[in-house]
Amino acid sequence: MAYAQTTLADLRTALFHRTDAVPWWTVAEGDAAINEALTVFNLATGTWRTQVTQAFVPSDHYQSLPGSLVQPMRVQADGVPLERVSLTDLNLTIPNWRGITTATAGASPAPDYFAPVSLSLLVVHPPFATFGHTLTVDGVSATPQLADPAEFLDLGAEDVSTLLGYALHVLAFKQAGEMLVRTYPGWLELLRMAGDTNRWFARSAFYRRAMGQDQTRRDLLAEAVGPTLLDELAQQAKALGGAS
Amino acid sequence: MTVLDSDLITAVQAPLVEDALFSSGLWTQAEVLGYLVQRQNRFLRETLCLTAIATIPITPGTADITLPPDWVSTVCVLYHDLVADVWEPLEATDAWEADHLLGSQTAGTTPIAYRDADVTESLTLTLFPTPQGAGELELLYVSLAEPLDGTGLVVDVPDDWARTTLKYGMLADMLAKEGRGQDLARARYCEMRYAEGVTLARALLEGWA
């Protein structure tokens, strides 16, 4: 099949097919649900990536990153890749690292390491002591948000179904109760895909509990196991009648 | 960061079938804004996703350092000996260890450890041993976000989490209140979605496995 672009208009149409195009939801709500699906999808799988090149601030270990970048994955100084470490690694293994630049006697003539401090701050060691150098960062970008019907994303056709299932789940929140519970599979499928892509997330307590994989549940006999967290939510929704 | 506080207040209206003025009376605009501010600060504390840097001068012979008023938690502390021009990372400790293991203080000592506010008053960091020479502290810490007033101020959380995680956090608080707007099933679901966002933020800070 030839490559085809999936536009916001295509996603809107496909999403409203799933709701029978009832007027309970507006076009704006549908777009918000689609954009939320894209956002959660990107945070969980790191699908959209970007490369940012900026001037290296001399003699400063702390290099700020732009808001368009969510997570730095690979860092280059003047085109040379740096090794990823942590602040703890620097504190424990390099004495007086904070006082060393490339101009320090005996120091490396170029940066060797980078350590993420937060989503918007990197430590680079040792930093260049002069102007005229660049820092190039590859990483997960902030999720592009679709606003114009003709706008499209680089998105595999195989992922559209999962995104639409999640978007339907977002829309169902407004109806609450059984409708919200019945669309849980759309959300869980997105989580499952995230777990397949991101092993750190798959090992988290949240993921294991949401997917019913926590150790306590596995160790107990099937008939003695209590309801999963999602079963409890469904029971609560039934007991409360679902309406707010 | 480009998401505005007014954007998030608008984002919670459609799922709850509310209009722009919350005319139903189940919630007020001020109340919803309060939930946003609380969740914003809570998200920053739980994820450590945004940090601030403060340089604090040290008075020789003074062990207690006043922390910045927007301090939430400490990420890393470095002591800069201005005389020797040497930077030393300080280890976190507690009052018991400081009292029993670090020994007596002598002239010319530089601190090797710190503890923040476990037995002393709030917003105080104590150095052990007491520094005797000229120095400064470089403090990496999680800070409180700027106050929001609902008039279109930028939310101090990365956009992707502001649009999703903060939204669900606000919904969780709105639906868990003791009042006519209570819907405990959806509140618990929203709390799960908030926890999902916090987990994803922590996962991104760790990197892909």
Side-chain angles (χ1 to χ4, degrees):
Chain A
M1 177 185 285
Y3 171 78
Q5 298 166 344
T6 303
T7 64
L8 175 60
D10 297 332
L11 292 173
R12 270 183 193 169
T13 302
L15 179 61
F16 281 106
H17 284 163
R18 295 182 179 225
T19 64
D20 256 354
V22 296
W24 180 241
W25 295 283
T26 65
V27 171
E29 288 175 75
D31 288 353
I34 290 168
N35 282 318
E36 181 177 323
L38 296 175
T39 301
V40 178
F41 179 71
N42 187 41
L43 291 180
T45 62
T47 296
W48 289 287
R49 304 180 197 96
T50 188
Q51 183 180 82
V52 170
T53 299
Q54 59 189 37
F56 196 104
V57 179
S59 301
D60 191 353
H61 280 83
Y62 301 107
Q63 301 289 320
S64 295
L65 299 176
S68 59
L69 201 68
V70 169
Q71 185 219 21
M73 298 170 74
R74 180 169 176 262
V75 177
Q76 302 172 71
D78 282 351
V80 178
L82 309 183
E83 183 178 345
R84 179 178 173 140
V85 296
S86 67
L87 265 184
T88 303
D89 291 333
L90 293 173
N91 285 339
L92 294 180
T93 61
I94 303 180
N96 193 32
W97 65 266
R98 183 66 180 86
I100 296 172
T101 70
T102 53
T104 305
S108 170
D112 295 316
Y113 308 108
F114 81 95
V117 174
S118 68
L119 292 180
S120 61
L121 195 66
L122 283 181
V123 163
V124 176
H125 177 77
F128 285 116
T130 56
F131 287 95
H133 300 279
T134 59
L135 187 72
T136 302
V137 184
D138 294 278
V140 178
S141 72
T143 308
Q145 299 289 286
L146 301 177
D148 188 275
E151 284 182 329
F152 64 93
L153 288 172
D154 288 332
L155 180 66
E158 68 278 10
D159 296 326
V160 171
S161 172
T162 302
L163 288 173
L164 290 176
Y166 176 83
L168 182 65
H169 176 64
V170 172
L171 291 179
F173 182 88
K174 191 176 177 182
Q175 293 184 304
E178 281 293 316
M179 292 303 298
L180 179 62
V181 173
R182 284 188 204 138
T183 56
Y184 275 167
W187 170 41
L188 293 180
E189 176 57 26
L190 190 70
L191 288 184
R192 189 199 60 75
M193 184 195 295
D196 287 345
T197 308
N198 185 344
R199 298 296 179 89
W200 194 101
F201 180 63
R203 289 197 300 266
S204 67
F206 169 83
Y207 178 86
R208 290 158 59 108
R209 192 158 178 237
M211 305 302 270
Q213 296 175 356
D214 45 316
Q215 184 70 34
T216 304
R217 207 176 306 281
R218 280 211 303 269
D219 289 345
L220 295 174
L221 292 174
E223 56 268 24
V225 172
T228 66
L229 185 60
L230 296 179
D231 292 335
E232 290 172 15
L233 287 172
Q235 284 169 6
Q236 265 189 344
K238 275 187 187 169
L240 293 168
S244 61
Chain B
M1 287 167 275
T2 61
V3 174
L4 307 177
D5 52 5
S6 51
D7 295 337
L8 288 177
I9 292 174
T10 302
V12 300
Q13 289 164 352
L16 299 177
V17 198
E18 288 282 343
D19 62 19
L21 299 177
F22 292 95
S23 304
S24 69
L26 297 177
W27 300 279
T28 66
Q29 279 194 309
E31 175 189 356
V32 174
L33 179 65
Y35 295 144
L36 169 58
V37 171
Q38 291 158 26
R39 283 285 173 165
Q40 179 183 235
N41 288 323
R42 178 175 162 181
F43 179 82
L44 293 175
R45 174 177 57 86
E46 290 177 341
T47 61
L48 312 182
C49 67
L50 294 175
T51 52
I53 305 173
T55 302
I56 306 172
I58 294 174
T59 304
T62 303
D64 291 337
I65 309 296
T66 302
L67 292 169
D70 61 348
W71 174 91
V72 173
S73 66
T74 302
V75 175
C76 178
V77 180
L78 295 163
Y79 173 75
H80 184 200
D81 185 330
L82 294 173
V83 175
D85 194 23
V86 172
W87 292 82
E88 285 288 342
L90 302 187
E91 292 292 323
T93 185
D94 56 35
W96 191 94
E97 185 179 64
D99 290 340
H100 290 84
L101 300 176
L102 293 179
S104 59
Q105 300 173 30
T106 59
T109 54
T110 56
I112 62 171
Y114 75 94
R115 60 170 171 78
D116 40 40
D118 57 345
V119 294
T120 54
E121 57 188 285
S122 303
L123 290 182
T124 303
L125 182 146
T126 305
L127 302 174
F128 298 96
T130 303
Q132 302 299 318
E136 61 186 5
L137 275 190
E138 184 171 87
L139 179 70
L140 260 70
Y141 67 103
V142 177
S143 67
L144 286 175
E146 292 293 324
L148 302 172
D149 60 9
T151 61
L153 299 180
V154 175
V155 173
D156 273 340
V157 169
D159 290 353
D160 285 356
W161 283 278
R163 281 190 284 260
T164 55
T165 308
L166 287 193
K167 183 191 87 167
Y168 283 111
M170 292 166 67
L171 287 170
D173 290 337
M174 293 169 72
L175 295 168
K177 66 180 283 185
E178 289 294 330
R180 290 180 300 129
Q182 187 182 81
D183 181 345
L184 293 178
R186 286 200 294 176
R188 192 166 177 203
Y189 164 78
C190 290
E191 200 63 56
M192 277 187 66
R193 298 305 313 276
Y194 174 82
E196 174 194 83
V198 169
T199 304
L200 287 173
R202 290 180 181 154
L204 279 176
L205 281 170
E206 289 286 327
W208 310 107

